[in-house]
C-alpha cells in the first residue's frame, strides 16, 4: 500500500469520526467511525458505525457497516462484510464479505472469507472455516479439524463445544459434538463424549419423540422399536453384573416377553 500520505487528497474528515494513528481512516468520507492504530480502517470510504482498535484492524474495509474489530489484524481483509465482531489478534483476519460473524479469541474464524452467522469463542476456534455458515464453536481449537485431520472449512449448522472438538468432514452439516476431544461421526448426528468415555449419566426420564424413525430405532405410543441385533442390558447397583434381553438373528414371527 502507498503510505506516502496519511489522508486521501479528497478527504475532509466528516463529523463524529475518531482517527488515532498513521493512516487511520485515511480514505473515509462518511460519519460515525472510530479507528485507533496504524492503518485502522484506512480504506474505508462510505462504511458507517465501524469500530477498529489495533494495527491494521479493518484495514481493507470500504463499505461494510457495523463492524467491531479489537486486536491487531482483526477483520483486516474485510471489504463489504457487515455486522461482524472480532476480538483477539487475527480474529476473522481473512474475512472479505462474510457477515454476522462473532469471533472471540486468537485467530478465531481466521480463514473465514464469505461464511456468515458463525460464532467462535476460543483460541484457534473454527480457524479453518472459509465458507461455512451458522456454526457455533466454544473451546480452544474447537471446530478446527475433521476426524481425518483436515480443516473444517465448509461446515453448516454445526455445534462444537469443548477443547479440540473435531467435526466429521470438511463440509459436515447439522452435527452436534460435545466434550473435550470429542469427534463427530456424521451429518445430522449428536456425539457427547469421546471414545475414552466410560459411563454417561442422564438424570430424569429419557423420552423419544413419538413417531420419530431413525436408522436404528422407532419411537411410538406402542413402545420403542430397536432395529439392530444385540442386547439391551440392565446393570446391578455396582455395575458388576447385568440382566440382558438379547435379540435373535432371525425370527419367523413377532415375539413378546
Amino acid at each position: 500500500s502507498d503510505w506516502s500520505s496519511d489522508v486521501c487528497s479528497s478527504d475532509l474528515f466528516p463529523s463524529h469520526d475518531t482517527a488515532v494513528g498513521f493512516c487511520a481512516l485515511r480514505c473515509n468520507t462518511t460519519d460515525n467511525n472510530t479507528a485507533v492504530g496504524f492503518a485502522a480502517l484506512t480504506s474505508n470510504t462510505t462504511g458507517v458505525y465501524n469500530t477498529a482498535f489495533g494495527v491494521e484492524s479493518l484495514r481493507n474495509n470500504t463499505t461494510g457497516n457495523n463492524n467491531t474489530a479489537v486486536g491487531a489484524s482483526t477483520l483486516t481483509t474485510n471489504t463489504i462484510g457487515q455486522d461482524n465482531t472480532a476480538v483477539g489478534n487475527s480474529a476473522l483476519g481473512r474475512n472479505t464479505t462474510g457477515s454476522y460473524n462473532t469471533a472471540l479469541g486468537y485467530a478465531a474464524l481466521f480463514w473465514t472469507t464469505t461464511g456468515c452467522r458463525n460464532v467462535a469463542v476460543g483460541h484457534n476456534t473454527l480457524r479453518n472455516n472459509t465458507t461455512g455458515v451458522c456454526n457455533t464453536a466454544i473451546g480452544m481449537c474447537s471446530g478446527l479439524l475433521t476426524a481425518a485431520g483436515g480443516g473444517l472449512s465448509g461446515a453448516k449448522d454445526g455445534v462444537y463445544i469443548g477443547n479440540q472438538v473435531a467435526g466429521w468432514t470438511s463440509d459436515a452439516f447439522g452435527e452436534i459434538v460435545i466434550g473435550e476431544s470429542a469427534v463427530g461421526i456424521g451429518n445430522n448426528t449428536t456425539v457427547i463424549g469421546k471414545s475414552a468415555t466410560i459411563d454417561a449419566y442422564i438424570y430424569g426420564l429419557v423420552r423419544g419423540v413419538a413417531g420419530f424413525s431413525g436408522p436404528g430405532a422407532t419411537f411410538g405410543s406402542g413402545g420403542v422399536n430397536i432395529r439392530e441385533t444385540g442386547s439391551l442390558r440392565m446393570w446391578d447397583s455396582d455395575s458388576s453384573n447385568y440382566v440382558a434381553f438379547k435379540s435373535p438373528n432371525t425370527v419367523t414371527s413377532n415375539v413378546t416377553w
Side-chain angles (χ1 to χ4, degrees), residues 102-156:
T102 300
L104 306 178
Y106 169 79
L109 282 168
F110 177 76
W111 289 109
T112 294
T113 52
T114 60
C116 299
R117 297 179 176 85
N118 297 292
V119 177
V121 180
H123 178 96
N124 275 329
T125 303
L126 281 173
R127 175 175 179 147
N128 291 321
N129 183 72
T130 54
T131 59
V133 298
C134 300
N135 297 293
T136 300
I138 301 173
M140 185 184 76
C141 298
S142 183
L144 177 67
L145 301 175
T146 66
L152 189 68
S153 57
K156 179 181 179 182

Side-chain angles (χ1 to χ4, degrees), residues 26-252:
R26 179 172 178 250
C27 296
N28 189 64
T29 61
T30 190
D31 297 332
N32 301 308
N33 293 292
T34 300
V36 178
F38 171 78
L41 274 167
T42 189
S43 300
N44 193 72
T45 52
T46 60
V48 295
Y49 299 108
N50 295 295
T51 301
F53 283 85
V55 173
E56 295 190 335
S57 54
L58 278 166
R59 182 188 68 187
N60 291 336
N61 191 76
T62 53
T63 60
N65 302 322
N66 304 309
N67 295 294
T68 300
V70 180
S73 301
T74 49
L75 278 164
T76 296
T77 59
N78 189 77
T79 53
I80 62 175
Q82 61 183 12
D83 296 286
N84 294 295
T85 299
V87 179
N89 188 313
S90 300
L92 275 166
R94 292 295 179 265
N95 188 70
T96 53
T97 61
S99 299
Y100 311 108
N101 295 296
T102 300
L104 306 178
Y106 169 79
L109 282 168
F110 177 76
W111 289 109
T112 294
T113 52
T114 60
C116 299
R117 297 179 176 85
N118 297 292
V119 177
V121 180
H123 178 96
N124 275 329
T125 303
L126 281 173
R127 175 175 179 147
N128 291 321
N129 183 72
T130 54
T131 59
V133 298
C134 300
N135 297 293
T136 300
I138 301 173
M140 185 184 76
C141 298
S142 183
L144 177 67
L145 301 175
T146 66
L152 189 68
S153 57
K156 179 181 179 182
D157 300 327
V159 176
Y160 308 94
I161 300 176
N163 290 343
Q164 298 181 330
V165 169
W168 175 236
T169 59
S170 63
D171 58 352
F173 61 86
E175 62 178 353
I176 300 173
V177 189
I178 300 173
E180 188 269 338
S181 298
V183 179
I185 60 172
N187 297 327
N188 294 318
T189 61
T190 298
V191 173
I192 301 176
K194 55 186 176 182
S195 59
T197 300
I198 299 174
D199 295 302
Y201 297 88
I202 301 175
Y203 291 95
L205 183 63
V206 179
R207 299 178 182 270
V209 178
F212 169 79
S213 180
T218 300
F219 296 89
S221 58
V224 180
N225 301 310
I226 301 175
R227 297 193 300 274
E228 298 289 344
T229 58
S231 62
L232 175 63
R233 300 179 181 181
M234 294 172 286
W235 294 83
D236 61 12
S237 59
D238 63 359
S239 299
S240 59
N241 296 287
Y242 61 80
V243 174
F245 294 98
K246 181 175 176 58
S247 62
N249 290 328
T250 59
V251 291
T252 57

